[in-house]
């Protein structure tokens, strides 16, 4: 674990690739309309900061055929996978190893700057948002998905999922100097930076809008990648953490049960 990348182990685990793929399949069908709302036209540049294996970078390349795109990440294996999978979009789509704490690009370089599923996993999110603002041109757009683990809703059963998410996320954040409730705090950060046209939307990943198999795959990947870490950082044993995840997976697969994950999507003009 490093000071600026406290989830390095979890991010490098194979489960993260499965997680990001399932999240993209669950979120993109609703999120695409938010991107269309920006009315981007002509030739323009897009940055995907923390792109992982390129799930959303590639979708943006398909959506915006006139765009030049740069995806950056610090996990070499994810970048190599992205290059292998999406080489058909080269040269207008490139993947580079860069950190969101100090992007190697000039000021005002991008028309749209995207940062999804990153801010909850790192310390000092305000620093990163300022850096994203720096590289976005005046009049350009920021598009962020800051996860919030207080926005997961499962029915109670033998185990209490509400208490699990509260206790596990709070302890995990305290031990890693991260904010797993950052989704509710980003508006204030943007307002403090005096960014105009702030908009908060929600993608609803639930058992009515998203196929249960896809939703369940997200929780399975979280279980496989995070159960041991939760045990290290919280009061739960590995067996207890796995049991909570398995109950949630079972509920998602049960057509008589309901579950939801509210995913905040916040945007602003620079």
């Amino acid at each position: 674990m490093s000071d600026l990348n406290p989830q390095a182990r979890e991010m490098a685990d194979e489960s993260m690739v499965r997680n990001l793929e399932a999240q993209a399949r669950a979120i993109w069908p609703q999120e695409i309309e938010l991107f269309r709302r920006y009315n981007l036209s002509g030739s323009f540049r897009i940055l995907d900061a923390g792109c992982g294996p390129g799930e959303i970078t590639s979708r943006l390349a398909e959506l915006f055929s006139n765009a030049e795109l740069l995806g950056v990440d610090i996990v070499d294996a994810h970048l190599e996978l992205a290059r292998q999978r999406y080489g058909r979009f080269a040269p207008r789509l490139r993947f580079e190893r860069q950190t969101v704490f100090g992007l190697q690009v000039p000021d005002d370089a991008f028309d749209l700057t995207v940062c999804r599923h990153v801010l909850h996993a790192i310390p000092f999110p305000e620093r990163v948002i300022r850096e994203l603002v720096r590289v976005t041109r005046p009049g350009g757009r920021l598009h962020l998905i800051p996860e919030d683990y207080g926005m997961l809703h499962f029915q109670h059963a033998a185990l209490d999922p509400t208490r699990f998410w509260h206790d596990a996320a709070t302890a995990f954040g305290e031990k890693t100097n991260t904010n797993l409730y950052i989704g509710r705090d980003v508006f204030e950060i943007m307002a403090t930076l005096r960014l105009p046209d702030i908009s908060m939307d929600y993608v609803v990943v639930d058992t009515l809008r998203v196929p249960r198999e896809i939703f369940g795959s997200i929780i399975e990947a979280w279980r496989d990648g995070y159960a041991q870490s939760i045990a290290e950082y919280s009061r739960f044993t590995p067996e207890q953490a796995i049991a909570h995840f398995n109950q949630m997976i079972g509920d998602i697969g049960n057509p008589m049960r309901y579950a939801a994950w509210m995913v905040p999507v916040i945007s602003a003009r620079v």
Side-chain angles (χ1 to χ4, degrees):
M1 183 173 71
S2 69
D3 290 343
L4 297 182
N5 187 23
Q7 293 190 31
R9 179 182 63 186
E10 295 82 1
M11 291 296 166
D13 190 83
E14 62 80 25
S15 63
M16 184 55 62
V17 174
R18 291 189 279 121
N19 176 30
L20 294 173
E21 179 181 2
Q23 287 181 345
R25 294 174 65 196
I27 294 170
W28 179 255
Q30 297 174 57
E31 188 183 11
I32 189 174
E33 298 305 323
L34 302 179
F35 283 112
R36 287 175 173 149
R37 187 177 63 184
Y38 302 145
N39 293 319
L40 298 170
S41 60
S43 298
F44 52 91
R45 302 190 70 205
I46 299 175
L47 171 68
D48 188 3
C51 65
E55 292 285 351
I56 296 302
T57 331
S58 61
R59 286 168 168 82
L60 289 170
E62 291 179 339
L63 180 62
F64 299 117
S65 59
N66 293 329
E68 179 184 344
L69 302 97
L70 173 64
V72 302
D73 206 282
I74 59 171
V75 181
D76 291 325
H78 290 178
L79 292 168
E80 183 57 32
L81 184 59
R83 294 184 187 108
Q84 292 173 5
R85 287 179 171 179
Y86 307 117
R88 66 186 183 276
F89 293 113
R92 67 183 184 90
L93 170 56
R94 295 177 293 114
F95 293 99
E96 295 182 0
R97 192 182 199 281
Q98 294 193 36
T99 171
V100 293
F101 286 97
L103 294 164
Q104 301 168 31
V105 296
D107 296 352
D108 309 336
F110 296 97
D111 301 277
L112 172 64
T113 298
V114 177
C115 186
R116 307 168 72 265
H117 307 299
V118 173
L119 295 176
H120 74 285
I122 57 174
F124 317 117
E126 299 90 344
R127 283 175 52 184
V128 171
I129 292 174
R130 285 197 298 268
E131 180 69 353
L132 300 177
V133 170
R134 178 187 70 81
V135 302
T136 307
R137 70 164 177 82
R141 286 279 187 176
L142 290 183
H143 177 102
L144 313 178
I145 290 186
E147 294 183 20
D148 189 316
Y149 288 83
M151 298 184 184
L152 284 147
H153 307 289
F154 289 83
Q155 292 180 254
H156 288 202
L159 301 174
D160 184 348
T162 301
R163 184 175 296 276
F164 172 77
W165 283 117
H166 176 271
D167 293 358
T170 300
F172 196 104
E174 289 174 352
K175 295 293 179 60
T176 59
N177 192 30
T178 57
N179 180 1
L180 274 69
Y181 305 101
I182 188 65
R184 68 195 68 183
D185 295 330
V186 170
F187 176 87
E188 183 178 9
I189 296 172
M190 286 185 163
T192 300
L193 293 172
R194 301 186 182 279
L195 299 179
D197 299 337
I198 301 174
S199 177
M200 177 72 85
D201 296 279
Y202 288 89
V203 169
V204 181
V205 176
D206 71 353
T207 49
L208 296 177
R209 295 168 178 82
V210 174
R212 290 175 181 266
E213 178 184 359
I214 295 175
F215 190 2
S217 295
I218 296 172
I219 309 301
E220 288 175 3
W222 285 351
R223 176 198 63 195
D224 297 345
Y226 283 91
Q228 184 60 45
S229 299
I230 288 171
E232 293 176 14
Y233 298 142
S234 75
R235 65 180 177 84
F236 298 101
T237 66
E239 294 75 17
Q240 289 172 332
I242 290 171
H244 279 85
F245 281 117
N246 285 342
Q247 177 178 288
M248 288 182 273
I249 294 165
D251 272 6
I252 292 171
N254 183 344
M256 300 301 293
R257 303 280 281 179
Y258 177 80
W261 177 27
M262 307 293 291
V263 181
V265 184
I266 186 165
S267 62
R269 194 178 299 277
V270 171

PDB file of all heavy atoms in Angstrom, residues 35-55:
ATOM      1  N   PHE A  35     -23.703  11.673 -21.330  1.00  0.00           N
ATOM      2  CA  PHE A  35     -22.660  12.134 -22.242  1.00  0.00           C
ATOM      3  C   PHE A  35     -23.270  12.835 -23.454  1.00  0.00           C
ATOM      4  O   PHE A  35     -22.750  13.866 -23.906  1.00  0.00           O
ATOM      5  CB  PHE A  35     -21.793  10.954 -22.702  1.00  0.00           C
ATOM      6  CG  PHE A  35     -20.795  10.495 -21.685  1.00  0.00           C
ATOM      7  CD1 PHE A  35     -20.922   9.255 -21.083  1.00  0.00           C
ATOM      8  CD2 PHE A  35     -19.723  11.295 -21.315  1.00  0.00           C
ATOM      9  CE1 PHE A  35     -19.998   8.815 -20.141  1.00  0.00           C
ATOM     10  CE2 PHE A  35     -18.798  10.875 -20.375  1.00  0.00           C
ATOM     11  CZ  PHE A  35     -18.944   9.628 -19.785  1.00  0.00           C
ATOM     12  N   ARG A  36     -24.339  12.300 -23.981  1.00  0.00           N
ATOM     13  CA  ARG A  36     -24.989  12.950 -25.126  1.00  0.00           C
ATOM     14  C   ARG A  36     -25.507  14.341 -24.770  1.00  0.00           C
ATOM     15  O   ARG A  36     -25.562  15.228 -25.620  1.00  0.00           O
ATOM     16  CB  ARG A  36     -26.128  12.073 -25.634  1.00  0.00           C
ATOM     17  CG  ARG A  36     -25.662  10.821 -26.376  1.00  0.00           C
ATOM     18  CD  ARG A  36     -26.820   9.930 -26.747  1.00  0.00           C
ATOM     19  NE  ARG A  36     -26.393   8.813 -27.591  1.00  0.00           N
ATOM     20  CZ  ARG A  36     -26.965   7.618 -27.594  1.00  0.00           C
ATOM     21  NH1 ARG A  36     -28.005   7.377 -26.799  1.00  0.00           N
ATOM     22  NH2 ARG A  36     -26.513   6.664 -28.392  1.00  0.00           N
ATOM     23  N   ARG A  37     -25.836  14.547 -23.529  1.00  0.00           N
ATOM     24  CA  ARG A  37     -26.373  15.824 -23.082  1.00  0.00           C
ATOM     25  C   ARG A  37     -25.357  16.960 -23.218  1.00  0.00           C
ATOM     26  O   ARG A  37     -25.732  18.130 -23.298  1.00  0.00           O
ATOM     27  CB  ARG A  37     -26.814  15.688 -21.615  1.00  0.00           C
ATOM     28  CG  ARG A  37     -27.540  16.879 -21.037  1.00  0.00           C
ATOM     29  CD  ARG A  37     -27.990  16.575 -19.617  1.00  0.00           C
ATOM     30  NE  ARG A  37     -26.868  16.341 -18.713  1.00  0.00           N
ATOM     31  CZ  ARG A  37     -27.010  15.984 -17.441  1.00  0.00           C
ATOM     32  NH1 ARG A  37     -28.220  15.764 -16.941  1.00  0.00           N
ATOM     33  NH2 ARG A  37     -25.960  15.795 -16.668  1.00  0.00           N
ATOM     34  N   TYR A  38     -24.079  16.624 -23.265  1.00  0.00           N
ATOM     35  CA  TYR A  38     -23.049  17.659 -23.357  1.00  0.00           C
ATOM     36  C   TYR A  38     -22.980  18.290 -24.750  1.00  0.00           C
ATOM     37  O   TYR A  38     -22.286  19.303 -24.935  1.00  0.00           O
ATOM     38  CB  TYR A  38     -21.685  17.088 -22.974  1.00  0.00           C
ATOM     39  CG  TYR A  38     -21.634  16.505 -21.581  1.00  0.00           C
ATOM     40  CD1 TYR A  38     -20.851  15.387 -21.302  1.00  0.00           C
ATOM     41  CD2 TYR A  38     -22.372  17.058 -20.537  1.00  0.00           C
ATOM     42  CE1 TYR A  38     -20.802  14.847 -20.032  1.00  0.00           C
ATOM     43  CE2 TYR A  38     -22.334  16.518 -19.268  1.00  0.00           C
ATOM     44  CZ  TYR A  38     -21.552  15.405 -19.020  1.00  0.00           C
ATOM     45  OH  TYR A  38     -21.506  14.863 -17.754  1.00  0.00           O
ATOM     46  N   ASN A  39     -23.631  17.671 -25.721  1.00  0.00           N
ATOM     47  CA  ASN A  39     -23.700  18.240 -27.084  1.00  0.00           C
ATOM     48  C   ASN A  39     -22.307  18.513 -27.665  1.00  0.00           C
ATOM     49  O   ASN A  39     -22.062  19.572 -28.253  1.00  0.00           O
ATOM     50  CB  ASN A  39     -24.537  19.530 -27.091  1.00  0.00           C
ATOM     51  CG  ASN A  39     -25.998  19.266 -26.782  1.00  0.00           C
ATOM     52  OD1 ASN A  39     -26.576  18.291 -27.254  1.00  0.00           O
ATOM     53  ND2 ASN A  39     -26.592  20.127 -25.964  1.00  0.00           N
ATOM     54  N   LEU A  40     -21.412  17.573 -27.520  1.00  0.00           N
ATOM     55  CA  LEU A  40     -20.073  17.706 -28.093  1.00  0.00           C
ATOM     56  C   LEU A  40     -20.143  17.492 -29.600  1.00  0.00           C
ATOM     57  O   LEU A  40     -20.821  16.584 -30.078  1.00  0.00           O
ATOM     58  CB  LEU A  40     -19.134  16.687 -27.467  1.00  0.00           C
ATOM     59  CG  LEU A  40     -18.913  16.822 -25.954  1.00  0.00           C
ATOM     60  CD1 LEU A  40     -18.165  15.626 -25.415  1.00  0.00           C
ATOM     61  CD2 LEU A  40     -18.189  18.111 -25.619  1.00  0.00           C
ATOM     62  N   SER A  41     -19.455  18.324 -30.335  1.00  0.00           N
ATOM     63  CA  SER A  41     -19.481  18.207 -31.797  1.00  0.00           C
ATOM     64  C   SER A  41     -18.148  18.672 -32.368  1.00  0.00           C
ATOM     65  O   SER A  41     -17.339  19.291 -31.680  1.00  0.00           O
ATOM     66  CB  SER A  41     -20.622  19.039 -32.390  1.00  0.00           C
ATOM     67  OG  SER A  41     -20.471  20.404 -32.059  1.00  0.00           O
ATOM     68  N   GLY A  42     -17.948  18.386 -33.642  1.00  0.00           N
ATOM     69  CA  GLY A  42     -16.687  18.746 -34.288  1.00  0.00           C
ATOM     70  C   GLY A  42     -15.563  17.882 -33.770  1.00  0.00           C
ATOM     71  O   GLY A  42     -15.752  16.759 -33.287  1.00  0.00           O
ATOM     72  N   SER A  43     -14.342  18.390 -33.853  1.00  0.00           N
ATOM     73  CA  SER A  43     -13.172  17.688 -33.331  1.00  0.00           C
ATOM     74  C   SER A  43     -12.929  18.127 -31.892  1.00  0.00           C
ATOM     75  O   SER A  43     -12.910  19.329 -31.600  1.00  0.00           O
ATOM     76  CB  SER A  43     -11.938  17.986 -34.191  1.00  0.00           C
ATOM     77  OG  SER A  43     -12.140  17.532 -35.520  1.00  0.00           O
ATOM     78  N   PHE A  44     -12.740  17.175 -31.010  1.00  0.00           N
ATOM     79  CA  PHE A  44     -12.515  17.525 -29.608  1.00  0.00           C
ATOM     80  C   PHE A  44     -11.708  16.420 -28.946  1.00  0.00           C
ATOM     81  O   PHE A  44     -11.520  15.338 -29.513  1.00  0.00           O
ATOM     82  CB  PHE A  44     -13.833  17.765 -28.865  1.00  0.00           C
ATOM     83  CG  PHE A  44     -14.830  16.647 -28.996  1.00  0.00           C
ATOM     84  CD1 PHE A  44     -14.873  15.614 -28.078  1.00  0.00           C
ATOM     85  CD2 PHE A  44     -15.743  16.642 -30.047  1.00  0.00           C
ATOM     86  CE1 PHE A  44     -15.785  14.591 -28.192  1.00  0.00           C
ATOM     87  CE2 PHE A  44     -16.669  15.615 -30.172  1.00  0.00           C
ATOM     88  CZ  PHE A  44     -16.690  14.592 -29.242  1.00  0.00           C
ATOM     89  N   ARG A  45     -11.229  16.712 -27.736  1.00  0.00           N
ATOM     90  CA  ARG A  45     -10.341  15.797 -27.016  1.00  0.00           C
ATOM     91  C   ARG A  45     -10.993  15.376 -25.703  1.00  0.00           C
ATOM     92  O   ARG A  45     -11.598  16.196 -25.000  1.00  0.00           O
ATOM     93  CB  ARG A  45      -8.991  16.457 -26.747  1.00  0.00           C
ATOM     94  CG  ARG A  45      -8.250  16.926 -27.991  1.00  0.00           C
ATOM     95  CD  ARG A  45      -6.832  17.340 -27.638  1.00  0.00           C
ATOM     96  NE  ARG A  45      -6.024  16.177 -27.273  1.00  0.00           N
ATOM     97  CZ  ARG A  45      -4.942  16.219 -26.489  1.00  0.00           C
ATOM     98  NH1 ARG A  45      -4.557  17.372 -25.967  1.00  0.00           N
ATOM     99  NH2 ARG A  45      -4.250  15.133 -26.229  1.00  0.00           N
ATOM    100  N   ILE A  46     -10.841  14.092 -25.386  1.00  0.00           N
ATOM    101  CA  ILE A  46     -11.405  13.511 -24.167  1.00  0.00           C
ATOM    102  C   ILE A  46     -10.282  12.855 -23.370  1.00  0.00           C
ATOM    103  O   ILE A  46      -9.448  12.131 -23.924  1.00  0.00           O
ATOM    104  CB  ILE A  46     -12.478  12.461 -24.493  1.00  0.00           C
ATOM    105  CG1 ILE A  46     -13.648  13.092 -25.262  1.00  0.00           C
ATOM    106  CG2 ILE A  46     -12.987  11.794 -23.214  1.00  0.00           C
ATOM    107  CD1 ILE A  46     -14.681  12.071 -25.723  1.00  0.00           C
ATOM    108  N   LEU A  47     -10.277  13.086 -22.065  1.00  0.00           N
ATOM    109  CA  LEU A  47      -9.378  12.399 -21.143  1.00  0.00           C
ATOM    110  C   LEU A  47     -10.195  11.467 -20.271  1.00  0.00           C
ATOM    111  O   LEU A  47     -11.208  11.881 -19.693  1.00  0.00           O
ATOM    112  CB  LEU A  47      -8.636  13.400 -20.258  1.00  0.00           C
ATOM    113  CG  LEU A  47      -7.821  12.800 -19.101  1.00  0.00           C
ATOM    114  CD1 LEU A  47      -6.628  12.010 -19.638  1.00  0.00           C
ATOM    115  CD2 LEU A  47      -7.354  13.882 -18.128  1.00  0.00           C
ATOM    116  N   ASP A  48      -9.774  10.214 -20.166  1.00  0.00           N
ATOM    117  CA  ASP A  48     -10.339   9.272 -19.212  1.00  0.00           C
ATOM    118  C   ASP A  48      -9.279   9.018 -18.155  1.00  0.00           C
ATOM    119  O   ASP A  48      -8.323   8.268 -18.377  1.00  0.00           O
ATOM    120  CB  ASP A  48     -10.755   7.975 -19.909  1.00  0.00           C
ATOM    121  CG  ASP A  48     -11.520   7.037 -18.985  1.00  0.00           C
ATOM    122  OD1 ASP A  48     -11.767   7.406 -17.828  1.00  0.00           O
ATOM    123  OD2 ASP A  48     -11.875   5.927 -19.437  1.00  0.00           O
ATOM    124  N   ALA A  49      -9.424   9.667 -17.005  1.00  0.00           N
ATOM    125  CA  ALA A  49      -8.421   9.636 -15.943  1.00  0.00           C
ATOM    126  C   ALA A  49      -8.733   8.496 -14.980  1.00  0.00           C
ATOM    127  O   ALA A  49      -9.746   8.515 -14.284  1.00  0.00           O
ATOM    128  CB  ALA A  49      -8.407  10.975 -15.203  1.00  0.00           C
ATOM    129  N   GLY A  50      -7.855   7.495 -14.961  1.00  0.00           N
ATOM    130  CA  GLY A  50      -8.119   6.280 -14.213  1.00  0.00           C
ATOM    131  C   GLY A  50      -8.936   5.328 -15.064  1.00  0.00           C
ATOM    132  O   GLY A  50      -9.965   4.810 -14.642  1.00  0.00           O
ATOM    133  N   CYS A  51      -8.449   5.064 -16.272  1.00  0.00           N
ATOM    134  CA  CYS A  51      -9.239   4.365 -17.298  1.00  0.00           C
ATOM    135  C   CYS A  51      -9.324   2.869 -17.092  1.00  0.00           C
ATOM    136  O   CYS A  51     -10.158   2.211 -17.717  1.00  0.00           O
ATOM    137  CB  CYS A  51      -8.672   4.658 -18.680  1.00  0.00           C
ATOM    138  SG  CYS A  51      -6.994   4.006 -18.939  1.00  0.00           S
ATOM    139  N   GLY A  52      -8.448   2.294 -16.235  1.00  0.00           N
ATOM    140  CA  GLY A  52      -8.456   0.852 -16.077  1.00  0.00           C
ATOM    141  C   GLY A  52      -8.176   0.158 -17.400  1.00  0.00           C
ATOM    142  O   GLY A  52      -7.378   0.626 -18.216  1.00  0.00           O
ATOM    143  N   PRO A  53      -8.865  -0.948 -17.691  1.00  0.00           N
ATOM    144  CA  PRO A  53      -8.646  -1.665 -18.946  1.00  0.00           C
ATOM    145  C   PRO A  53      -9.417  -1.091 -20.126  1.00  0.00           C
ATOM    146  O   PRO A  53      -9.571  -1.754 -21.145  1.00  0.00           O
ATOM    147  CB  PRO A  53      -9.108  -3.089 -18.616  1.00  0.00           C
ATOM    148  CG  PRO A  53     -10.120  -2.913 -17.544  1.00  0.00           C
ATOM    149  CD  PRO A  53      -9.693  -1.721 -16.743  1.00  0.00           C
ATOM    150  N   GLY A  54      -9.904   0.145 -19.992  1.00  0.00           N
ATOM    151  CA  GLY A  54     -10.447   0.855 -21.144  1.00  0.00           C
ATOM    152  C   GLY A  54     -11.899   0.589 -21.465  1.00  0.00           C
ATOM    153  O   GLY A  54     -12.350   0.898 -22.579  1.00  0.00           O
ATOM    154  N   GLU A  55     -12.661   0.078 -20.512  1.00  0.00           N
ATOM    155  CA  GLU A  55     -14.060  -0.243 -20.786  1.00  0.00           C
ATOM    156  C   GLU A  55     -14.846   0.982 -21.258  1.00  0.00           C
ATOM    157  O   GLU A  55     -15.574   0.929 -22.261  1.00  0.00           O
ATOM    158  CB  GLU A  55     -14.719  -0.837 -19.540  1.00  0.00           C
ATOM    159  CG  GLU A  55     -14.206  -2.201 -19.133  1.00  0.00           C
ATOM    160  CD  GLU A  55     -14.719  -3.316 -20.028  1.00  0.00           C
ATOM    161  OE1 GLU A  55     -15.607  -3.043 -20.864  1.00  0.00           O
ATOM    162  OE2 GLU A  55     -14.230  -4.451 -19.894  1.00  0.00           O
TER     163      GLU A  55
END
